[in-house]
Amino acid sequence: MSNTIMPTYGRLPVSFVRGEGAWLWDQADKKYLDALSGIAVCGLGHSHPAVTEAICDQAATLLHTSNLYGIPNQQQLADKLCEISGMESVFFGNSGAEANEAAIKLARLHGHNKGIDSPSVIVAKGSFHGRTMATLTATGNRKVQAGFEPLVSGFIRAPYNNLDALQEIATNSRGISAILLEPVQGEGGIRIPDSEYLAGVRALCDKNGWLMMLDEVQTGMGRTGKWFGFQHSSIMPDVVTLAKGLGNGLPIGACLTHGNATQLFKPGMHGSTFGGNPLVTRGAMAVISTMEQEQLLERATSLGERITQGLRTKLKENSSVTDIRNLGLMIGIELNQPCAPIVGNALEHGLLLNVTADSVVRLLPPLILSNDEADQIAEQVALLINQFTTTNKEESKS
């Protein structure tokens, strides 16, 4: 590959030229089963006809005006997002990082409105919120931050899924205006918190006047079996951020607000040149309509259980596997050893997956999988993990 592209990615030795459903084809016409869907982006798989038709029609009609003017497609999408989330207003950007930047700005406005000179946001260890300066500072992974100091001030880090730690911060810290959390940590290793965690966070936010802000960039848009991860609990957040599955590959992000957070932004305080333009909002509406018509929320739940159960059955004798967990089609298989080589081994066998947090095989397949494709993923992943751990064990003995 030419060196005219900045080397910001550690790319695998493959380039895809076409896709259909859960499958991709490379330049040599080799076929790959996509169990990662662009890291939770292509929930409807590749080249879904409804999305393709919508964006082709819109591209032939009107691509872009400006947010100086009304955009009917944007209004329609905002109305629909509020309907399915229970939130009240939406700001559109181009990515999850932009959506989280908007949330962080809302937290600071909220703090200043309360008379706090230097408001802080509580964020979680092991989190991932993006790679802009504010969002990489909020991210709880030192590898993401290294080399980019000085970081942005105004963040306090707490252990994830630990209400006692949050209570201790509330007792000992001044100037906090918000908490920013993922309902399930994706990049952190598919970490699913205790069932009472989000309700406890909500109670702390209410008690202290903090905004409860949820990063649903990976958990949103049906990935967990509900439209949004927070809907597995009984709480309503103040701010929710989206991206990834919202556009099925189109670059779109959204920051949704509820209650007091809805009144914080005023004209001129925030913006995005391309955010919510006619093309991406038309495509996102097609995504939501298709998910409703094909009942993909229920499908995500049943497919997640099918794959996870298959993995548990096939890996039950493997003592190197310490946990298999899922919420819908967010699936993590944790090993007691680093396992990054499994990604390359899977690629050779025509399967796309990912390893995160060093030792967790992460699966984020599309929601449109057939049962046979789901079974194939479970079969191949279990085989690859068993081969990898057996080889490692034999090498350690020699």
Side-chain angles (χ1 to χ4, degrees), residues 101-124:
E101 285 278 347
I104 292 165
K105 289 177 73 172
L106 286 171
R108 292 200 169 185
L109 284 172
H110 178 64
H112 288 301
N113 287 350
K114 292 175 63 179
I116 302 171
D117 290 335
S118 298
S120 297
V121 178
I122 299 175
V123 292

Side-chain angles (χ1 to χ4, degrees), residues 365-379:
L367 282 57
I368 46 79
L369 284 178
S370 67
N371 287 344
D372 285 347
E373 289 165 341
D375 293 343
Q376 185 174 339
I377 288 173
E379 181 79 29

Side-chain angles (χ1 to χ4, degrees), residues 202-218:
R202 177 73 269 179
L204 267 175
C205 288
D206 290 341
K207 181 180 178 182
N208 294 283
W210 304 338
L211 294 182
M212 181 177 183
M213 309 196 303
L214 295 181
D215 178 340
E216 297 248 17
V217 169
Q218 192 165 136

Side-chain angles (χ1 to χ4, degrees), residues 217-328:
V217 169
Q218 192 165 136
T219 54
M221 301 310 297
R223 171 62 48 188
T224 68
K226 294 186 181 291
W227 283 114
F228 306 98
F230 77 82
Q231 292 172 333
H232 289 277
S233 64
S234 58
I235 61 100
M236 177 63 71
D238 300 298
V239 180
V240 170
T241 58
L242 301 175
K244 290 187 179 289
L246 177 56
N248 209 59
L250 290 166
I252 182 170
C255 179
L256 284 60
T257 58
H258 181 266
N260 292 334
T262 299
Q263 308 302 322
L264 291 170
F265 276 147
K266 308 297 181 191
M269 283 185 163
H270 199 49
S272 172
T273 296
F274 300 109
N277 79 15
L279 180 73
V280 297
T281 47
R282 174 78 179 276
M285 273 305 300
V287 171
I288 294 174
S289 298
T290 302
M291 291 182 67
E292 290 180 326
Q293 291 163 12
E294 298 185 7
Q295 300 182 323
L296 293 183
L297 302 185
E298 296 84 351
R299 190 72 183 143
T301 298
S302 64
L303 285 168
E305 289 304 313
R306 188 181 186 99
I307 295 172
T308 304
Q309 187 54 49
L311 289 166
R312 288 186 175 130
T313 300
K314 297 173 196 309
L315 292 169
K316 64 182 178 184
E317 304 295 334
N318 190 328
S319 60
S320 298
V321 176
T322 59
D323 195 15
I324 299 172
R325 49 186 177 264
N326 82 295
L327 188 60

Side-chain angles (χ1 to χ4, degrees), residues 13-296:
V14 65
S15 296
F16 299 111
V17 295
R18 66 186 174 96
E20 182 178 342
W23 297 87
L24 286 164
W25 284 261
D26 68 12
Q27 292 169 312
D29 209 32
K30 180 180 174 180
K31 188 178 178 183
Y32 299 78
L33 180 54
D34 189 356
L36 193 59
S37 54
I39 314 182
V41 168
C42 299
L44 301 187
H46 302 282
S47 305
H48 194 286
V51 180
T52 300
E53 181 182 355
I55 60 179
C56 287
D57 180 67
Q58 188 60 47
T61 306
L62 182 65
L63 278 180
H64 181 78
T65 53
S66 161
N67 280 302
L68 291 174
Y69 315 106
I71 300 175
N73 290 352
Q74 185 182 113
Q75 184 62 60
Q76 185 184 9
L77 179 60
D79 291 346
K80 188 64 182 179
L81 285 173
C82 289
E83 175 193 323
I84 62 177
S85 67
M87 304 296 279
E88 295 175 345
S89 69
V90 185
F91 168 81
F92 288 107
N94 306 294
S95 66
E98 274 192 60
N100 284 331
E101 285 278 347
I104 292 165
K105 289 177 73 172
L106 286 171
R108 292 200 169 185
L109 284 172
H110 178 64
H112 288 301
N113 287 350
K114 292 175 63 179
I116 302 171
D117 290 335
S118 298
S120 297
V121 178
I122 299 175
V123 292
K125 295 178 180 176
S127 63
F128 184 85
H129 299 295
R131 294 179 186 274
T132 60
M133 282 308 300
T135 59
L136 76 83
T137 303
T139 290
N141 183 340
R142 179 60 190 150
K143 287 193 289 188
V144 174
Q145 300 166 342
F148 298 109
E149 298 84 356
L151 301 176
V152 177
S153 62
F155 294 96
I156 299 173
R157 206 162 304 285
Y160 188 60
N161 192 27
N162 188 328
L163 291 171
D164 289 340
L166 292 178
Q167 180 58 61
E168 186 174 345
I169 291 172
T171 301
N172 298 318
S173 302
R174 295 182 180 277
I176 296 166
S177 63
I179 297 178
L180 175 62
L181 297 167
E182 297 159 278
V184 174
Q185 287 192 335
E187 191 74 16
I190 314 295
R191 304 291 175 191
I192 304 168
D194 298 336
S195 57
E196 70 274 14
Y197 180 59
L198 290 185
V201 173
R202 177 73 269 179
L204 267 175
C205 288
D206 290 341
K207 181 180 178 182
N208 294 283
W210 304 338
L211 294 182
M212 181 177 183
M213 309 196 303
L214 295 181
D215 178 340
E216 297 248 17
V217 169
Q218 192 165 136
T219 54
M221 301 310 297
R223 171 62 48 188
T224 68
K226 294 186 181 291
W227 283 114
F228 306 98
F230 77 82
Q231 292 172 333
H232 289 277
S233 64
S234 58
I235 61 100
M236 177 63 71
D238 300 298
V239 180
V240 170
T241 58
L242 301 175
K244 290 187 179 289
L246 177 56
N248 209 59
L250 290 166
I252 182 170
C255 179
L256 284 60
T257 58
H258 181 266
N260 292 334
T262 299
Q263 308 302 322
L264 291 170
F265 276 147
K266 308 297 181 191
M269 283 185 163
H270 199 49
S272 172
T273 296
F274 300 109
N277 79 15
L279 180 73
V280 297
T281 47
R282 174 78 179 276
M285 273 305 300
V287 171
I288 294 174
S289 298
T290 302
M291 291 182 67
E292 290 180 326
Q293 291 163 12
E294 298 185 7
Q295 300 182 323
L296 293 183

